[in-house]
Every structure is written in C-alpha cells, then in structure tokens.
Amino acid sequence: MSAGSVHPGPSRVTRWLIVAVIGGLFLVPIVAMLEFTMRRGLEGGYDLSRWAAVFSTGLTGEYKPILTGLTNSLLLAVVTVAIMLVLLVPTMVLVRIRFPQLQRMLEFVCLLPITIPAIVLVVGLAPVYSVVARLFGSGVWPLAFAYGVIVLPYAYRAIQTNLQAVDVVTLSEAARTLGAGWPTILLRVVVPNIRRGLLAASFISVAVVLGEYTIAALLNRVNLQTALVIVSKADPFVSIIFAVLALVFAFVLLLAIGFIGARGPGPSSRRGPSARRRDASASRRGRIPTSSQKARA
C-alpha cells in the first residue's frame, strides 16, 4: 500500500456484523424489561394487562409522581436547550471568527464537565443554588443551569463538527462587506449553515436531561428518573413500563440525529446513489477525471 492511498474501511458484512452485535447489546435489556412487564404472576403466562391499565387509568393516584417528573423533565429540557443555544453557540461563533487563538481554551472548558463526577458537581453547585433559590425561588427550573453544564461536552462536539465544515470566516466577512451587523451575521448567515449541528446538539441535550438522575436526586429535585425510583417502590412494573417508553423516546431522538447526519451537506451528496454510480462509471471510462487526476492537474 502506498503512502498516499486511503484504506477502504470495513466491508459491508463487517459493518452489518458490528451493527448486529451493538444492536443485540441494546436489545437484550429492553426485551428483558418487556418480558418483566408482561408477566402474569404466579399463574404464569404473559398478557398486556399492565400496559392497558397504565394507558386506561392515566397517571393519577400513586402514579402522579411520574406525571410531575415528566413535566419537570420536559421543562428542564426546554430551558437547558435554550441556555445551550443562547450562550454556547454565539460564543463558539465569536471565537471561530474573531478569536481563533482561544479555540483550545474553549474546547478545554466545554469538555471539562465530562471528567468531573456528578457528586463533585453537586458539592460545588450547592452553595450557588442556595443563592439562586433565594433570588428566583426553589422551583425545579434552576436545575437547568446545572444541566446546561453537563450537556456542554456533547453539544460542543455536535456544533463544532458542523462549524468546521463551513467557512464561517469568509461568510461573515462577505456579510460585513454588504453591511450586515453581527446579529444578522449570526442569525441569517451562520445559523442556517450549521442547523444540522444545532439540531443534533439539541436532541442530545434533551436525551441527557431525560436520563439524568444523580444531580436531581442529590439536590432533592423531582424529575422523570427520580419519579421512576419513587414509583418503583410501590409498583415496579409501572416504573419499568415508563423506563421502556423513555428508552424508546431516546432511540427516536438518536434515529433523528442519524437521519440528519446522513443528509450530506454538499451538492454531491444530494444527487443520489444512481448519479454517483454514473459518475464512477464515467470516471473508469476516462470521461470524468478522478479527484487524484484533478490534484495532479
């Protein structure tokens, strides 16, 4: 193999084998949870009576903590995504355009929370929350400030990957030449070009917030995960049913991220596989120069 050649990557069979193994690792616990929720008890057999009871009676009585936790988690997800979009995105764009020498420092700060244990974050955030509770009340929404910190590494990577694929500096200079101000550059030039990264960062932030338990439990706040623990002490079957529904929702978000990522940003990726096969066939016949031929030219 020459020094300039590129490895073609794993074969189709190897890729499907990897997908099957990873899918099996995710599928086994989900199937076990479904089997647990459909057991009929000592008489044996399976049915859907518990699933039907949950959807027919609604989240009332002893199941009300789940409704409260789900409402709090959705509120926290919305506030967390808003904090991430308002604070992180303009900072990343500004560093990219005006202060590229601070890129390393910003990356270090954004990736730092992933290395800090949750208990350490809670110990550091407790004095801050005592001040926030006195100023804004002790509701659940200030917990979004802590979640805004823990989603930083995931949101930063999703946005940075998309930001590196766009020549933001040239676009911003062109817009400034035409008389646009910084708000116009950010909202009408940069954001439309990195919308896939923003959507991926938002979906990942929602998935992280819906699955977070440690910080909410240590700060005595009720979210979906802490509510599931409370209900599991009275009825473990119902808590498992809602855990399965939460997993399904997280998988739908991941599939949405994969669908968005699969849509190529360039025009060549929008031409479809048949057009790319025609180009490859024409290249082999010498009608269209390959990329290496273009480079030599």
Side-chain angles (χ1 to χ4, degrees), residues 5 120 235 268:
S5 61
V120 178
D235 191 341
S268 60

Side-chain angles (χ1 to χ4, degrees), residues 60-109:
T60 58
E62 60 182 357
Y63 305 145
K64 191 174 181 180
I66 292 182
L67 179 60
T68 305
L70 181 61
T71 305
N72 291 341
S73 290
L74 293 177
L75 173 64
L76 289 171
V78 172
V79 179
T80 302
V81 171
I83 292 174
M84 183 268 297
L85 293 177
V86 171
L87 296 181
L88 181 61
V89 175
T91 304
M92 293 181 64
V93 173
L94 185 63
V95 169
R96 179 80 174 176
I97 295 175
R98 297 294 299 273
F99 308 103
Q101 67 276 11
L102 299 178
Q103 188 68 45
R104 295 279 186 179
M105 182 180 296
L106 179 62
E107 182 177 6
F108 174 77
V109 171

Side-chain angles (χ1 to χ4, degrees), residues 41-293:
L42 297 178
E43 63 271 21
Y46 299 95
D47 59 22
L48 297 175
S49 59
R50 296 189 181 91
W51 286 80
V54 167
F55 288 105
S56 61
T57 59
L59 300 176
T60 58
E62 60 182 357
Y63 305 145
K64 191 174 181 180
I66 292 182
L67 179 60
T68 305
L70 181 61
T71 305
N72 291 341
S73 290
L74 293 177
L75 173 64
L76 289 171
V78 172
V79 179
T80 302
V81 171
I83 292 174
M84 183 268 297
L85 293 177
V86 171
L87 296 181
L88 181 61
V89 175
T91 304
M92 293 181 64
V93 173
L94 185 63
V95 169
R96 179 80 174 176
I97 295 175
R98 297 294 299 273
F99 308 103
Q101 67 276 11
L102 299 178
Q103 188 68 45
R104 295 279 186 179
M105 182 180 296
L106 179 62
E107 182 177 6
F108 174 77
V109 171
C110 291
L111 298 182
L112 190 60
I114 204 172
T115 64
I116 301 176
I119 183 65
V120 178
L121 284 175
V122 172
V123 172
L125 289 172
V128 179
Y129 263 81
S130 63
V131 178
V132 173
R134 286 197 299 270
L135 294 177
F136 302 103
S138 57
V140 70
W141 69 269
L143 194 61
F145 293 114
Y147 288 171
V149 175
I150 64 173
V151 303
L152 270 181
Y154 315 102
Y156 175 82
R157 280 302 184 195
I159 298 173
Q160 181 67 10
T161 302
N162 204 174
L163 201 59
Q164 288 177 341
V166 180
D167 192 355
V168 180
V169 177
T170 302
L171 291 175
S172 63
E173 290 178 353
R176 290 183 62 190
T177 304
L178 297 174
W182 283 112
T184 304
I185 294 173
L186 178 64
L187 297 176
R188 301 186 63 180
V189 177
V190 178
V191 168
N193 284 282
I194 62 172
R195 61 183 182 278
R196 293 190 181 93
L198 298 180
L199 286 174
S202 301
F203 289 156
I204 292 174
S205 300
V206 172
V208 170
V209 172
L210 292 182
E212 202 284 327
Y213 169 78
T214 308
I215 294 178
L218 293 176
L219 291 176
N220 296 322
R221 297 294 190 274
V222 178
N223 66 356
L224 178 60
Q225 300 301 322
T226 58
L228 290 178
V229 174
I230 294 173
V231 173
S232 68
K233 296 176 182 177
D235 191 341
F237 297 101
V238 174
S239 65
I240 296 299
I241 288 174
F242 282 96
V244 171
L245 295 177
L247 284 174
V248 170
F249 181 69
F251 283 150
V252 170
L253 287 180
L254 292 177
L255 289 176
I257 294 172
F259 176 75
I260 294 170
R263 298 177 62 187
S268 60
S269 60
R270 295 194 294 267
R271 300 178 61 197
S274 59
R276 290 195 292 270
R277 283 195 296 269
R278 287 196 299 271
D279 288 350
S281 177
S283 299
R284 287 193 295 271
R285 293 195 301 268
R287 295 180 180 178
I288 299 177
T290 61
S291 57
S292 59
Q293 290 170 344

